[in-house]
Amino acid sequence: MFKSFVFLFAVLLLGEFRSEAQVTQRNILGNKYSIEAVKQALISQNQFKPYPKTPTEWKAAVPDSVMARTIRTGEELLNYKFEPISASISLDFVRSGDRERHSKISFAKRNALIDLVLAESMEDKGRFTEAILNGVWSMCEESFWGVPAHISGTGLPNVEDHIVDLFAAETGSVLALTDYFVGDKLDKINKLIRKRIYHETNQRIFIPMLKNPDRYGWMSKKNAVNNWNPWIMSNWMTATLLLEKDEARRAQSLYGAMLGLDLYLNGLGEDGGCDEGPSYWFAAGACVFDCLELLDGATQGKVNIYGEPLIQKMASYVYKTHIANDYFVNFADADPKLKPDGIMLYRFGKKINDAQLTQFGKWAVEKYPTAISNNGFHRMRKVQNLLTVKEIGSDKNTFEPVKDAWFGDIQVLTARAGNGIFMATHGGHNAESHNHNDVGDFLLYANGEPIIIDAGRGNYTARTFSSKRYELWFTQSQYHNLPIINGLGQLAGRSYEAKNIKPTVSDKEATLSMDIAPSYAKEAGIQTWNRTVKLNRIKNSVEINDDYVLAQKPTSLQQVFMTVNEVDTATPGKVSLKTPKGQSFTLQYDPKLWAVSTDFPSTDGMEYVSFKTKWDNLPVQRIILTHKTLPQKGKAGFVIVGN
């Protein structure tokens, strides 16, 4: 999939992380609405007033505490320096692989600008306008609004060829919101400022998206697309609705974004599963909601697909993959911990009449009140969140965690037992979005603490999406809860997959059975490897059973279990696991068949820095069970149970 270092740039540029997924030509929006219907329904640009603009309007819409906090944030930024991005910093990515120096400057500028804009709009005293002017001009002067990782291997942008990536689209939205909230004040400073905003957004976003959207993989009509699509569509819609004065062109652009959003929905399976994981869902499914909310508001409800079953299922994914507190299921590149945007979840739940999602949103607001719209992106979502604070109220949430869920489209099973145990496992294939070679992996939590983990991803660098991706230990099956056969792990690619998938869910158990042999190279010599991952609700344990046949007697056979717990291997047949809060679990194995050892994956190098802190500063540890007798055919059973 990743053939060369140069191909990295094409992959990131095109957003082709899901090229092998099945596409169903639903075309929900395109089939339901014509361009003429959109033109007739669309509120004109000069009449479209989705957000408050004056202190009086803001005061009626948000609590005084929100206004005070927003203005204080603006005050802290009055002397913010909108730093230019040098050529040397832009070249970091191709020279060293580093993405962070550039991103820290670029992202911080956009966050500062929107905070200043909201402060000025709420206060209306002119204190912030000079800082806003400098922010706008600084961004307009940039040669490229995106990040160097998302352009071809030059490192520097080709100013004759404007590329639309995630952050170019985000910038267009930021400037459009700036124009909406304080455009009149910018006119008083100089009439050329707003003209510059439109000119740059038109050149960098509107023209490329209208002229040749098919150049981008994330607009593919044939292949499934990932979070890039709805993320960019939401910002394209925002910029179009707020900036474009030519009503025919405005409707054309909006309709183009609707058809673009269809492409993402076409790539979803029937269960609405997100193979990128919950942390990416907030830039995927949640961005679909951003788009639907914009369409609903700009057409006074005449363009509305909230009732579509696929939207309902896509939305429910996020609470069905919630473990406890800020832990979520984190297969592939998804992060294990995130503080969910509760107000957005609440709003989504209300729009689709999903009481569970609404209450999950209320739970998140109560649990993580400072996490609301604090991720730095999706600025239209941030504004809409502010306008919903009053609505939520102070009554206690009634959210109940989902007992079990099965996503057949991405082959993910989640389940709980009565004693606080949570298990997740999956089949799938090794060409999924942000793929790790992890077919047959599982994870186990107890009362909100990790016991057996998916280690997650490291820091994104040039290697992350290059031909060297699977040289990084966290992408390899050898560092997931999987067997290593003849010293070999799984391989990347669509043909490396699970077969004979069978979920079983009852009051007694939640089990996923699958043959994971096809996910390994032929050189591993596997004929069948039938794996069963079971949450035994009677015994409150997780059981891993492998039944295998090899082509010949193996030279080595190992089983891996990943953890961040304190590990004690002194007692044969038992690996003791102790959590920071004192919970104790035992991994049981047959000491006649298996020898045990442990190691700590490296945290040296820029790809691995996050592992120093990712798991609450606990080191990731690998438990390795090595078979002593090496039969050609056999069974391997392991039980993990609380003490």
Side-chain angles (χ1 to χ4, degrees):
M1 183 177 180
F2 302 98
K3 295 182 179 179
S4 69
F5 180 79
V6 173
F7 186 57
L8 148 70
F9 300 96
V11 168
L12 288 172
L13 170 61
L14 298 175
E16 287 188 331
F17 300 103
R18 299 181 58 190
S19 60
E20 300 295 339
Q22 184 175 356
V23 172
T24 302
Q25 297 295 338
R26 301 181 181 93
N27 300 316
I28 296 171
L29 286 161
N31 287 335
K32 190 171 182 179
Y33 302 102
S34 67
I35 179 64
E36 291 304 319
V38 171
K39 285 180 179 178
Q40 291 176 15
L42 185 58
I43 301 170
S44 64
Q45 191 265 349
N46 61 2
Q47 294 297 316
F48 184 52
K49 309 293 183 187
Y51 315 121
K53 283 189 173 185
T54 68
T56 301
E57 292 173 346
W58 278 110
K59 192 171 182 62
V62 304
D64 290 344
S65 59
V66 169
M67 291 185 67
R69 183 174 66 246
T70 303
I71 292 169
R72 283 198 303 271
T73 300
E75 288 173 338
E76 294 168 1
L77 295 166
L78 277 170
N79 296 315
Y80 181 84
K81 181 181 179 182
F82 286 91
E83 184 179 347
I85 298 174
S86 69
S88 295
I89 289 174
S90 294
L91 287 169
D92 279 349
F93 184 75
V94 293
R95 288 174 169 174
S96 68
D98 178 70
R99 299 168 59 132
E100 295 195 6
R101 267 209 313 171
H102 181 283
S103 293
K104 283 179 179 178
I105 297 172
S106 178
F107 297 169
K109 287 167 69 172
R110 285 140 180 84
N111 290 339
L113 179 59
I114 203 68
D115 286 338
L116 288 162
V117 165
L118 290 173
E120 179 58 37
S121 182
M122 290 182 186
E123 185 186 74
D124 194 27
K125 293 181 180 178
R127 286 200 296 156
F128 305 98
T129 53
E130 196 71 13
I132 292 168
L133 164 66
N134 288 325
V136 168
W137 207 252
S138 176
M139 288 172 208
C140 289
E141 289 289 292
E142 291 174 355
S143 296
F144 179 46
W145 283 349
V147 297
H150 297 166
I151 53 178
S152 64
T154 60
L156 296 175
N158 177 1
V159 295
E160 297 177 352
D161 181 23
H162 292 293
I163 299 298
V164 180
D165 79 334
L166 295 176
F167 307 115
E170 278 279 340
T171 306
S173 178
V174 167
L175 292 175
L177 288 164
T178 300
D179 184 276
Y180 174 85
F181 284 117
V182 298
D184 292 343
K185 295 182 179 183
L186 294 177
D187 273 343
K188 291 178 181 179
I189 297 174
N190 193 301
K191 295 286 188 180
L192 292 177
I193 303 168
R194 296 178 80 183
K195 287 185 177 181
R196 182 76 184 276
I197 287 175
Y198 179 83
H199 172 80
E200 298 295 347
T201 306
N202 186 47
Q203 292 294 316
R204 300 171 192 240
I205 308 297
F206 296 163
I207 290 175
M209 292 309 302
L210 285 171
K211 185 178 180 181
N212 188 20
D214 293 340
R215 73 178 293 190
Y216 301 110
W218 43 265
M219 289 290 281
S220 173
K221 296 180 176 65
K222 181 176 68 172
N223 300 321
V225 294
N226 74 344
N227 71 82
W228 276 51
N229 174 284
W231 190 344
I232 291 173
M233 295 305 99
S234 66
N235 284 293
W236 184 18
M237 286 184 184
T238 301
T240 294
L241 289 170
L242 296 180
L243 279 183
E244 183 57 71
K245 289 182 170 59
D246 182 322
E247 291 298 338
R249 193 169 187 250
R250 186 165 170 263
Q252 181 187 6
S253 293
L254 187 65
Y255 195 66
M258 289 168 58
L259 299 182
L261 185 63
D262 268 340
L263 302 176
Y264 177 77
L265 298 176
N266 290 348
L268 291 178
E270 290 303 315
D271 294 325
C274 178
D275 67 357
E276 298 173 273
S279 61
Y280 284 94
W281 181 93
F282 283 87
C287 283
V288 172
F289 173 54
D290 292 335
C291 290
L292 299 187
E293 196 166 44
L294 287 164
L295 290 170
D296 187 29
T299 63
Q300 295 181 315
K302 294 176 183 176
V303 175
N304 182 323
I305 60 168
Y306 287 129
E308 290 287 334
L310 183 67
I311 302 300
Q312 309 266 332
K313 292 176 182 178
M314 180 197 74
S316 71
Y317 167 87
V318 71
Y319 60 78
K320 291 176 179 176
T321 52
H322 176 242
I323 300 171
N325 300 322
D326 55 352
Y327 283 113
F328 286 77
V329 174
N330 70 304
F331 298 130
D333 268 356
D335 291 318
K337 300 185 77 172
L338 67 96
K339 292 180 171 56
D341 180 345
I343 291 190
M344 182 277 297
L345 295 171
Y346 171 86
R347 291 191 291 109
F348 201 171
K350 295 284 281 187
K351 287 288 189 179
I352 63 173
N353 296 314
D354 183 337
Q356 185 86 330
L357 181 56
T358 302
Q359 292 302 316
F360 182 54
K362 284 180 65 68
W363 169 86
V365 171
E366 293 169 18
K367 187 77 174 177
Y368 304 108
T370 61
I372 299 167
S373 62
N374 198 33
N375 65 6
F377 302 116
H378 321 297
R379 278 80 177 192
M380 81 297 287
R381 187 186 305 172
K382 175 175 181 173
V383 175
Q384 200 65 52
N385 279 348
L386 294 177
L387 302 177
T388 312
V389 172
K390 277 187 175 181
E391 179 186 326
I392 289 184
S394 59
D395 54 309
K396 187 74 175 174
N397 80 85
T398 59
F399 176 69
E400 290 290 337
V402 175
K403 184 178 180 181
D404 42 54
W406 167 245
F407 298 93
D409 47 9
I410 56 174
Q411 299 179 3
V412 169
L413 175 68
T414 67
R416 300 177 193 274
N419 67 337
I421 287 180
F422 176 96
M423 180 201 77
T425 185
H426 71 107
H429 57 81
N430 283 334
E432 294 171 340
S433 184
H434 296 274
N435 179 67
H436 291 191
N437 292 336
D438 60 355
V439 172
D441 191 20
F442 77 100
L443 51 83
L444 168 63
Y445 283 67
N447 298 303
E449 286 191 286
I451 308 299
I452 300 296
I453 66 166
D454 185 307
R457 68 173 177 90
N459 301 73
Y460 282 170
T461 68
R463 280 210 294 173
T464 311
F465 298 105
S466 75
S467 61
K468 298 180 180 180
R469 176 177 177 85
Y470 296 99
E471 294 177 10
L472 301 168
W473 65 255
F474 56 81
T475 64
Q476 300 171 9
S477 66
Q478 295 93 318
Y479 291 85
H480 289 77
N481 305 301
L482 290 164
I484 304 173
I485 301 123
N486 288 316
L488 299 174
Q490 298 180 8
L491 294 182
R494 182 60 184 84
S495 61
Y496 299 99
E497 63 181 345
K499 294 284 182 68
N500 304 324
I501 302 292
K502 182 183 178 182
T504 302
V505 177
S506 69
D507 290 339
K508 294 181 179 180
E509 68 177 77
T511 300
L512 187 62
S513 300
M514 57 198 135
D515 181 5
I516 63 172
S519 60
Y520 287 79
K522 291 182 179 180
E523 291 77 10
I526 312 170
Q527 293 183 354
T528 60
W529 196 286
N530 294 311
R531 162 162 283 211
T532 300
V533 182
K534 176 192 288 187
L535 172 60
N536 188 322
R537 289 181 167 132
I538 305 301
K539 297 181 179 180
N540 290 316
S541 63
V542 169
E543 303 166 7
I544 311 298
N545 290 290
D546 289 343
D547 188 343
Y548 64 90
V549 178
L550 304 179
Q552 59 189 28
K553 183 180 173 64
T555 57
S556 68
L557 183 59
Q558 296 174 308
Q559 292 276 357
V560 170
F561 298 89
M562 306 294 293
T563 190
V564 289
N565 294 163
E566 182 181 319
V567 175
D568 185 343
T569 62
T571 303
K574 296 182 178 180
V575 177
S576 296
L577 304 168
K578 188 175 181 180
T579 72
K581 293 182 180 179
Q583 293 190 87
S584 181
F585 276 73
T586 300
L587 166 61
Q588 300 172 354
Y589 66 95
D590 187 342
K592 295 178 183 179
L593 299 179
W594 302 92
V596 63
S597 62
T598 62
D599 64 16
F600 292 90
S602 173
T603 58
D604 294 333
M606 62 180 153
E607 287 90 359
Y608 305 121
V609 172
S610 65
F611 286 106
K612 298 179 188 294
T613 57
K614 182 186 295 287
W615 294 94
D616 293 331
N617 302 310
L618 298 171
V620 173
Q621 188 169 181
R622 183 169 65 153
I623 301 165
I624 307 168
L625 299 175
T626 301
H627 209 291
K628 296 177 180 179
T629 61
L630 300 174
Q632 180 179 344
K633 176 181 179 181
K635 296 182 179 181
F638 310 93
V639 178
I640 307 167
V641 64
N643 298 328

